[in-house]
Amino acid sequence: MKTWPIIRLFRYGAAIVLILAWSCKENKTEERGNLNKSRTTEADKGVKLVILGTVQDAGSPQLGCKKSCCADLYNKPDPARKVVSLGLVDKEARKRFLLEATPDITSQLHNLNRIANTSVDQMPDGVFLTHAHIGHYTGLMYFGKEAVNAFEVPVYAMPRMIDFLKNNGPWDQLVKQKNIVLKGISGDTIKRLTPSLSIVTVSVPHRDEYSETVGYRIKGPAKKALFIPDIDKWSRWERDIATLIAEVDYAFLDATFFNGEELNTRDLSQIPHPFVVESMTLFNSLPPAQKQKIYFIHFNHTNPLLSPESKEYKKVISNGFRVAEFGEEFEL
């Protein structure tokens, strides 16, 4: 009988030890949870630009192409050869934007959502179009009722581009069915996308059969980018491209044709673009740091810059410039 209090005291003591141990475990678990939460929050911050495509409108290989640059690609497609597009991600604001709506929009939006750690079925928070040539807007069709049947995806475009979409089928159906909602933009106006991300429209000279043509200046919290996938010739522009390059950290510039010899079946005067050799000559006097900002993009299927093994690709790199690569990410 005398030992009973001792046993009871022992049990009470053991219980207290267990309670303290459990409390300590909970505190440590909570600390780890807070730490993981903090790390997750840090990982979710930041603004990125990602290259979702680098190829000219008609892709690679191109329909009807008999040249050696296409021969192997019919049976063994290169998954990196997507039509030119950029993606913007603001992880903290949980926003994603596409620059261009290309025929490859399905895989491009999937890649953008993956980078943003967003569900694959989420539509973009906005699509910015440059002009009405096939590779730059026809991806809008996948927002329609024959496909995902999206609801009011914001599509930003210039006035003539908006009129074209509203008044021509099948694009007008997207508007009437409210798959997309058209948002007007104008030259040199700033559009704030998130507290950390904004975009400015830049008008450029190009073949404007159905719409104006624009590029974009993109501003993140720390860095800026310039995107001009299509322009006739630098000399036809009233703006100084070298000045614009100096104002940004990355410049993604039209490189449709390497030179005038690669497309020997077409009259290049009817499809003017700055040849890469012309651009390199124009930019040759820039300081090395300025040259390194230039990323050539928008490659025709005949352009040897699509092959890192080509002598033309190596020449561009040796001259101090860069070639845009599918999947590259850039902090803004």
Side-chain angles (χ1 to χ4, degrees):
M1 296 294 296
K2 291 181 180 180
T3 60
W4 176 251
I6 296 175
I7 294 172
R8 182 177 294 176
L9 180 62
F10 174 79
R11 286 177 177 172
Y12 287 159
I16 291 170
V17 169
L18 287 172
I19 290 171
L20 290 173
W22 181 254
S23 175
C24 181
K25 180 180 179 182
E26 283 189 329
N27 288 337
K28 288 182 178 179
T29 302
E30 185 177 354
E31 287 175 6
R32 285 197 297 270
N34 289 337
L35 181 60
N36 289 337
K37 184 177 180 182
S38 174
R39 286 175 178 168
T40 300
T41 301
E42 288 299 319
D44 283 344
K45 290 182 178 179
V47 178
K48 281 187 177 182
L49 180 153
V50 57
I51 298 179
L52 299 173
T54 64
V55 183
Q56 182 265 356
D57 303 39
S60 174
Q62 195 170 112
L63 182 68
C65 176
K66 297 180 180 180
K67 298 184 177 184
S68 59
C69 58
C70 297
D72 294 337
L73 293 171
Y74 288 119
N75 295 323
K76 296 180 180 178
D78 183 347
R81 296 201 179 191
K82 306 293 184 185
V83 176
V84 67
S85 175
L86 301 185
L88 301 175
V89 177
D90 186 333
K91 290 191 174 182
E92 188 169 12
R94 298 183 181 277
K95 299 289 185 181
R96 299 143 301 115
F97 301 90
L98 283 172
L99 273 63
E100 309 292 30
T102 84
D104 292 319
I105 195 171
T106 300
S107 62
Q108 289 171 332
L109 182 56
H110 176 82
N111 285 333
L112 186 63
N113 286 343
R114 175 183 54 79
I115 292 166
N117 195 27
T118 301
S119 175
V120 295
D121 63 347
Q122 293 298 302
M123 295 299 102
D125 295 289
V127 179
F128 285 81
L129 305 179
T130 59
H131 63 302
H133 286 163
I134 64 169
H136 301 264
Y137 80 98
T138 54
L140 293 176
M141 62 187 170
Y142 294 108
F143 293 130
K145 65 179 182 179
E146 299 91 342
V148 72
N149 198 31
F151 180 69
E152 292 191 346
V153 175
V155 174
Y156 296 87
M158 294 286 281
R160 282 187 64 206
M161 184 83 219
I162 285 181
D163 286 343
F164 175 77
L165 295 172
K166 287 171 62 177
N167 298 305
N168 291 278
W171 320 110
D172 60 336
Q173 188 178 68
L174 298 171
V175 179
K176 293 172 184 175
Q177 298 283 343
K178 296 187 177 181
N179 300 126
I180 64 175
V181 56
L182 298 173
K183 305 280 189 179
I185 55 177
S186 56
D188 292 315
T189 56
I190 300 174
K191 175 68 179 175
R192 185 162 292 281
L193 307 180
T194 73
S196 300
L197 181 63
S198 60
I199 193 166
V200 177
T201 308
V202 182
S203 297
V204 300
H206 193 43
R207 295 175 291 114
D208 295 338
E209 301 95 336
Y210 298 114
S211 76
E212 314 90 336
T213 303
V214 300
Y216 292 104
R217 285 186 293 168
I218 304 143
K219 183 178 183 296
K223 294 186 177 182
K224 301 174 184 178
L226 177 66
F227 179 52
I228 303 178
D230 278 279
I231 191 169
D232 284 347
K233 294 287 183 182
W234 300 119
S235 59
R236 297 185 187 178
W237 201 15
E238 75 278 5
R239 305 180 87 143
D240 180 17
I241 180 60
T243 299
L244 289 178
I245 292 169
E247 294 173 351
V248 300
D249 299 278
Y250 318 108
F252 303 98
L253 304 182
D254 184 349
T256 305
F257 304 115
F258 186 80
N259 57 34
E261 301 171 6
E262 69 188 71
L263 202 64
N264 51 20
T265 60
R266 300 279 293 275
D267 179 0
L268 289 180
S269 68
Q270 300 301 309
I271 44 175
H273 290 272
F275 300 145
V276 173
V277 291
E278 293 174 337
S279 294
M280 287 196 295
T281 299
L282 178 64
F283 303 139
N284 187 54
S285 60
L286 293 180
Q290 297 298 309
K291 287 183 179 180
Q292 285 286 291
K293 296 178 180 181
I294 297 170
Y295 290 77
F296 289 117
I297 200 168
H298 193 269
F299 310 118
N300 194 57
H301 68 292
T302 56
N303 195 321
L305 294 189
L306 284 168
S307 172
E309 303 304 317
S310 70
K311 65 180 186 299
E312 292 86 354
Y313 185 104
K314 294 173 182 177
K315 181 178 181 180
V316 167
I317 301 303
S318 66
N319 284 341
F321 305 101
R322 300 177 189 262
V323 177
E325 303 288 346
F326 171 76
E328 281 187 290
E329 298 180 16
F330 301 83
E331 297 292 336
L332 292 177

